[in-house]
Amino acid sequence: MLVERITVLRGPNYWSAKNHRLIVLTIDFHEFEHVATHLIPGFPDRLAAACPALRNEPALDDRYPDFLTQVSEGTHWAPVILNMAKFLQDAAGMPCSYTRLHPGERMGQHNLVFGYSDEEAGRFAAEAAVRLVTDLLKGDASAEAEIEELRAIWRANALGPSTGSIYAEAVKRGIPTLKLDEGSLIQLGYGAAQKRFEATIASTTGSIAVDIAGNKHATKNLLKAAYLPVPAGDVIRDVNNLAAVIEEIGFPIVIKPLDGNQGKGATIGITTFEEAAAAFTRAQHYSPRVVVERFVEGADFRALVINRRFVAAARRTPAAVTGDGKHSIAELVGIVNADPRRGDGHSNVLTKIKLDEASYKLLAKRGYTLDTIPPKGQEIWLKETANLSTGGTATDVTDDVHPANISLFERVARTVGLDICGIDIMAHDLSAPIAENGGAIIEVNAAPGFRMHIEPTTGTPRNVAAPVIDMLFPDGSQGRIPIVAVSGTNGKTTTTRLIAQMVQQGGFHTGFTTTDGIYINQELIYKGDCSGPASAKVILRDPAVEFAVLECARGGILRSGLGFDQSNCAVITNVAEDHLGLNGIDTIEKLANVKAVVARSVMPGGWVVLNADDDLVYAMREEVDANVALFSLYPHSVRIERHCEAGGLAAIYEDGMVMIRKGNTLIPIEAVENIPLTHNGRARFNVANVLGATLAAYVSAISLPAIRCTLRRFRNSVKDTPGRMNEFVFPNFSVLVDYAHNTHGVRALGDFISTVPASRKIGVITAVGDRRNEDIMALGEEAARIFDEIIIRYDDDLRGRTELELGSLLRSGIQKVAPTKKLLFCANEREALDQALKLTVPDAYVVLLVENIADVCTRLQELRDQKQDTLSGIRMAG
């Protein structure tokens, strides 16, 4: 068995319309392709012993009661590895609910597709599944080490309970989510509609309020000035000032670091100066300034206020064990920590109790050691503070809080200025006003933990994440901006740019991605092929972007899926033979299915704009849950007539006009003679691009004046459409620069070139090395039909081919059509350009199919400027 690749998908993808987070494990089974599982002696029994839970997996064949029985009777190895990957994740606490098998592109190759919760864990599960099955082929093997490693990965990568609860609530409401770093910084929503949060601090939380809450002394002074109950005390730096403060407030006291959190460095219930001095030293390990305040008798409570409204309260108990008369304190701690709800740090509902110096001193005060066996029922505190982070527990008391206390808690949050506010209270209970029962506000916390509320040790769980999302996205909004996604074999970059300019003309701050870069409002922020999901996320992360137009190429969809979960509109320009034979896409029907991912990603109520003149694109209308709009160069085609007679929407080209048809109503948009991109209608492929773009803008509520203005101003210039029909006019000849690189694109370009009057048509062509032989030859055939003379050049990256191979295949195609066609060969683009210009005669038309668009266009601009300078000099001399 050979693992050929592991593909991690993070968005809508080729394999599943609904399941975005998938691993695709591609394996060539070689000799095992025809060796069933029951033919390996002892394998079924070893598998059952290593993974007994597989007995609960359903069989792939209805004749068997479960999967293990099917393995015993004989099955292929692909489902064994697939179910092993699922079993490992399930056993590690990451349930896997999606598994599928798909045949590969050749005999023996299979694609095993399964879901994942964590990307690193999903990859590991794929590798571990293959490793375990291979080991079980040879003998006994255990899955425990692999499962434990998966658990460790999950613990390291999973969001904490507080962050995770907000994240999960957002997902439940359909709000897009993006992780912005390796920690817990999360973006909810897209572009200008986004909100961010880290832990439980939101982008709406004021920095001044966070600073105040982080300074216990400033918080106390602010609350005291508002006549809110706080304990008496002071902040000191020097132990020599300790006695004076104690004399003023009296024992018992609390000493804690001014800038501390989670109870670190805090000591409570101090009754002697010696204890106070030791506690002061301990607190200064965490902060140079130390809080000394009166100890308030009672229980430890936490109230949570979100968006200035009280939402929950819990009573916290310090880490403790209860004696049973049999076990020592050390043994009781071990028993408590064995609770599966307890873990390290914040990843579990409860935190394991870890004994430290403060624990030993607390025990010593009561005359205990770790070896003491406490009597049955006696509670032994192991920490002085009641923080969950040190092993404490929580009991929900939300329903017991007195209305006066609710009002007081909300006033505390308003006074400090926090929109997500945790308030620590010491009081005998919260069912009576704390202002009357001797209670006090001890601390106010920015980024309060949610664990004690969402999963209390006892009591009713409270969904405290819901009011956070209500605050960030009022009125049920999802934090979305309009997204138009564009895909197809040819024309998608021009269509993307045209839509983006229409949107910007319509008044939106616009971000768009294409094969030549990432743009925000026409400003290039990154140059390169940016038609994949990573580039889309750059746009969707930008807080200024109000509308996104995203080109979505085949490669990115197959490598990672789309970079967004849903779009408002998709445009599919066409599907033609290109890139076939790569990544298992070996037929045009499979390629169409890749492009259809973009169409299927449109949200219900959105629009899918389809080319009715392309059979494969037109068929996509059956696969979508959104509205369908069609465009066509043939206004009276049966497809358009049938669609519009049923009340449908279309864009058509008739009698030199671009029009929108709604049912039987025609809306004139613009004459093609006023649309430079179409070359007065001669560039029919650009007429099609105009139709698709116009329709996408129209359904996106861009005004007709904005659409018309853009159509009149948008040109085949290096600025508007680099590498797409950029024409350079010289005194005696013209040069056209284009990016056409496949047969379909060259054929469409040829239709335009056939309308250009020229004494000689010279073409510089190339082939992309990772295309099939027949595709390269077909491109040569098209070139032979278009050009009088042909120069064959080579890209810098031959993609696994040699110059001899590529040149021979192109020549074969050319000579199949025109055996005597004149051919020249050049090593690179610059040499080919120079050679083409040498071949020009008066009224010649040179067409350069280029790779390095900017370099070629810059060179042509320089040459044109030189020619013009020369002519100017001649005219002046005359």
Side-chain angles (χ1 to χ4, degrees), residues 371-388:
D371 295 326
T372 301
I373 299 176
K376 185 175 182 179
Q378 184 178 25
E379 186 176 57
I380 308 295
W381 281 20
L382 301 169
K383 301 287 182 181
E384 291 189 305
T385 57
N387 297 79
L388 267 65

Side-chain angles (χ1 to χ4, degrees), residues 568 602-607 625-627:
N568 302 80
V602 178
M603 63 180 61
W607 287 88
D625 297 325
N627 300 303

Side-chain angles (χ1 to χ4, degrees), residues 347-367:
S347 59
N348 288 57
V349 178
L350 296 171
T351 301
K352 288 182 177 180
I353 299 172
K354 293 182 179 179
L355 301 176
D356 55 17
E357 187 66 27
S359 304
Y360 304 142
K361 288 184 177 181
L362 189 60
L363 289 172
K365 285 175 69 173
R366 299 188 63 177

Side-chain angles (χ1 to χ4, degrees), residues 497-512:
R497 284 178 163 275
L498 186 53
I499 295 170
Q501 285 211 18
M502 290 175 176
V503 169
Q504 189 177 349
Q505 185 68 33
F508 289 92
H509 201 91
T510 308
F512 66 97

Side-chain angles (χ1 to χ4, degrees), residues 33-34 92 151 156 158 183 325 365 368 410 449 471 474 489 501 513 555 571 604 637 642 648 683 685 710 744 762 857:
E33 177 67 17
H34 302 292
R151 287 181 180 137
K365 285 175 69 173
Y368 296 150
E410 292 175 351
M471 176 184 71
T489 300
Q501 285 211 18
T513 61
V571 181
S637 75
R642 188 180 299 150
F685 57 90
T710 303
H744 181 269
I762 303 164
C857 289

